[in-house]
Amino acid sequence: MSEKEKLGRLAEIGQLLFDQKMMVLERAARARQASLDRLAELDRPMPATDLPLVTAQEIALRHALWADHKRREINTMLARQTAEWLEAREEASRAFGRNQVLGRLKDQLS
């Protein structure tokens, strides 16, 4: 196998690795965005009701307590997802760089 063929194969492998890293990054970004969307939904105001004032306030208080609990859960998950997303972004960036270098080397041998 010639040097050009070897470099061509390496470039193919580099592209496959880059594609795989991008899929991992995309999956991590989607999971992180889903958590961000869930947090945003918790901030939406509750619809007005025709309940007596005391009942409406009690419901609003219970909802606020429930929403605070959910925010804590989502924020914990979001912290983990953000760390995974940052790591995946770094790995995809490195794979992209390697892929670019292999492509340039392949072009130089052509």
Side-chain angles (χ1 to χ4, degrees), residues 74-110:
I74 294 169
N75 279 327
T76 300
M77 185 185 316
L78 183 60
R80 188 186 81 249
Q81 290 169 332
T82 299
E84 291 170 358
W85 173 72
L86 288 170
E87 183 178 335
R89 189 175 71 171
E90 180 65 30
E91 288 180 14
S93 177
R94 267 188 253 127
F96 175 76
R98 287 185 198 120
N99 197 33
Q100 291 295 303
V101 168
L102 287 170
R104 287 185 186 139
L105 288 173
K106 182 181 166 190
D107 291 344
Q108 287 176 358
L109 284 180
S110 296

Side-chain angles (χ1 to χ4, degrees), residues 52-64:
L53 182 60
V54 173
T55 304
Q57 288 176 339
E58 182 180 347
I59 290 171
L61 177 62
R62 287 176 189 247
H63 179 267

